[in-house]
Amino acid sequence: MKKIGIMTTGGDCSGLNTAIQRVMRGAHLRGWRVFGILDGTDGLCTTPPNVVELTDNLLPIENARLSGSFLHNGQPGALNFETAAAEGSLDDFNKKLYRSIRELKLDAVILIGGNGSLSLAWAHREIYRDVQLICIPKTIDMDIPLTDRTIGFDTAVEQLTQFCDQLMLTARSHHRWFVVQSMGRDCGQLALNAGVAAGATAILIPEIKFNVNALINHIMNAPTDYGIIVVSEGISLRGHSGRPADMISRQLTAAGITNRTAFPEHTQRAGDTTASDRLLATAMADAALNAIDNNETYVMTALQNGTVKTIGLADFVAAGESVVDPNISDLCTSNAYVAPDDPLLDIAHDMGIYIGEIK
Ligand code: F6P
């Protein structure tokens, strides 16, 4: 009988609980036991390790759609790769994680994480040398290379779209504009997808240069005197500082365009998991268990052309754009962005949405 450990690391998002519940279900059907490691790597830093055996009573199916993580994502202020590196104790930290995994006598660890966690797992792969390491990609940012979707993205698009939908009505009543700031770090996927879905008049993302005067002209010549401008949190405006939505709002105000800013913030990571995210989480849980069956290790589940499969973590690291981690100087995070040939850019442009100077 195999013993599987599962943990969620990095920021939460919707769909984590679906993945956890489905891993448990599929593992039980194989006669395996599943241990939830609490608070990500924090759970491996305590003595004894902080784990809970997952059972149907603990994780009932009706809770699988809920956002957040049953296993939590980490205590504020706890030691992690970043803080351990900052205080020069990264080696000890890694050894502690390795020892805890041994102590738990695990056969495999399923790590559900974002691009930072996955890059870290590969960079510090010796921690997992005695177990099979299977990663599942999750993030609302959609900045993980080699997978067409990540768990949590679809729900985030839904949440942000609904946020914009509601503002559209008050915007119409008052003949004014809302500048909505989306999350997404340096990747514009969330802003682009929700902006198109909500019928935004303009979408500004980090990948595409924009011109403030062109934006203003576009708004002034729009068929409505109200609407939504979606601004990704990763954009910048030369010579200006502050929150991106505030910077754009100030420019619009100076041009005589009545507007307000709105910040959906962490509601983008919340909300009941959409059916699409649940399907993806279920397929990825299944692929992760199959990978354990097949004796794979150092792999990541990935959706490619409609099929969920596993790919090497090494390939994930090699495929993205290497970005120096802001917290760990010798670590590069593998990052993906909106590609210049992303079909949604053309669609947005053809629908009269200002998305910057692309053509
Ligand atoms: O990576 C997910 C994300 O929600 C980003 O989009 C956002 O910039 C960041 O995490 C927010 O982090 P925190 O929850 O620490 O404020």
Side-chain angles (χ1 to χ4, degrees):
M1 190 208 337
K2 284 190 194 290
K3 285 175 76 178
I4 312 299
I6 182 166
M7 62 178 166
T8 47
T9 58
D12 71 344
C13 63
S14 294
L16 297 177
N17 289 329
T18 311
I20 296 164
Q21 201 276 343
R22 297 297 199 268
V23 162
M24 177 192 76
R25 184 79 193 116
H28 286 173
L29 287 171
R30 288 164 165 85
W32 302 347
R33 297 174 71 188
V34 182
F35 293 84
I37 299 165
L38 298 178
D39 277 313
T41 52
D42 299 358
L44 296 174
C45 287
T46 57
T47 310
N50 195 9
V51 299
V52 57
E53 180 157 9
L54 301 186
T55 60
D56 287 318
N57 281 344
L58 204 64
L59 284 191
I61 183 65
E62 65 273 20
N63 288 352
R65 67 181 165 80
L66 301 179
S67 62
S69 168
F70 295 138
L71 305 177
H72 309 286
N73 290 61
Q75 295 276 358
L79 204 61
N80 55 33
F81 289 101
E82 275 90 14
T83 48
E87 66 176 44
S89 61
L90 192 53
D91 276 355
D92 290 344
F93 179 76
N94 287 347
K95 280 182 191 142
K96 177 66 190 157
L97 300 192
Y98 170 74
R99 280 199 302 269
S100 291
I101 289 170
R102 272 188 79 98
E103 191 182 327
L104 291 167
K105 298 192 166 36
L106 297 175
D107 296 288
V109 170
I110 297 181
L111 187 163
I112 311 179
N115 62 354
S117 301
L118 270 46
S119 300
L120 276 165
W122 176 249
H124 301 284
R125 56 192 171 279
E126 73 279 6
I127 295 166
Y128 305 99
R129 62 184 179 268
D130 291 345
V131 292
Q132 291 172 257
L133 175 68
I134 317 291
C135 297
I136 296 182
K138 64 84 209 171
T139 171
I140 67 165
D141 303 337
M142 265 283 288
D143 55 0
I144 298 186
L146 294 186
T147 184
D148 297 340
R149 276 280 177 277
T150 52
I151 294 174
F153 178 70
D154 188 71
T155 309
V157 170
E158 185 64 36
Q159 291 285 107
L160 181 56
T161 302
Q162 286 185 18
F163 185 88
C164 294
D165 287 348
Q166 288 166 11
L167 290 177
M168 188 76 93
L169 301 176
T170 171
R172 181 172 186 268
S173 290
H174 288 267
H175 307 275
R176 67 185 172 200
W177 298 82
F178 275 94
V179 183
V180 176
Q181 182 174 309
S182 79
M183 281 188 169
R185 294 192 198 272
D186 297 328
C187 178
Q189 284 288 5
L190 178 55
L192 178 63
N193 280 265
V196 172
T201 298
I203 304 168
L204 305 182
I205 61 174
E207 292 89 341
I208 301 179
K209 284 196 173 49
F210 61 90
N211 177 297
V212 172
N213 291 330
L215 171 68
I216 289 168
N217 275 337
H218 187 83
I219 294 171
M220 286 180 157
N221 292 313
T224 55
D225 61 357
Y226 64 91
I228 304 290
I229 318 298
V230 180
V231 168
S232 177
E233 67 177 356
I235 66 153
S236 53
L237 190 57
R238 195 195 292 252
H240 296 263
S241 59
R243 296 185 296 184
D246 291 331
M247 294 190 288
I248 298 301
S249 169
R250 282 195 294 270
Q251 301 297 312
L252 300 189
T253 303
I257 298 171
T258 308
N259 71 91
R260 296 286 187 275
T261 52
F263 298 85
E265 297 278 8
H266 293 78
T267 62
Q268 293 159 98
R269 293 194 343 207
D272 277 358
T273 309
T274 59
S276 170
D277 261 337
R278 294 185 217 179
L279 286 166
L280 181 63
T282 304
M284 287 200 170
D286 185 45
L289 292 166
N290 289 338
I292 297 173
D293 279 333
N294 296 334
N295 282 320
E296 295 175 36
T297 188
Y298 297 124
V299 292
M300 167 189 122
T301 59
L303 176 71
Q304 293 182 346
N305 304 320
T307 305
V308 174
K309 50 173 83 164
T310 48
I311 57 164
L313 267 188
D315 295 332
F316 146 79
V317 170
E321 190 168 312
S322 268
V323 179
V324 177
D325 190 285
N327 301 304
I328 305 183
S329 52
D330 55 357
L331 179 82
C332 283
T333 299
S334 182
N335 216 10
Y337 303 96
V338 175
D341 61 352
D342 190 316
L344 198 49
L345 291 175
D346 276 341
I347 293 169
H349 178 266
D350 293 351
M351 290 298 143
I353 301 173
Y354 179 76
I355 48 168
E357 304 299 304
I358 57 162
K359 288 192 174 174

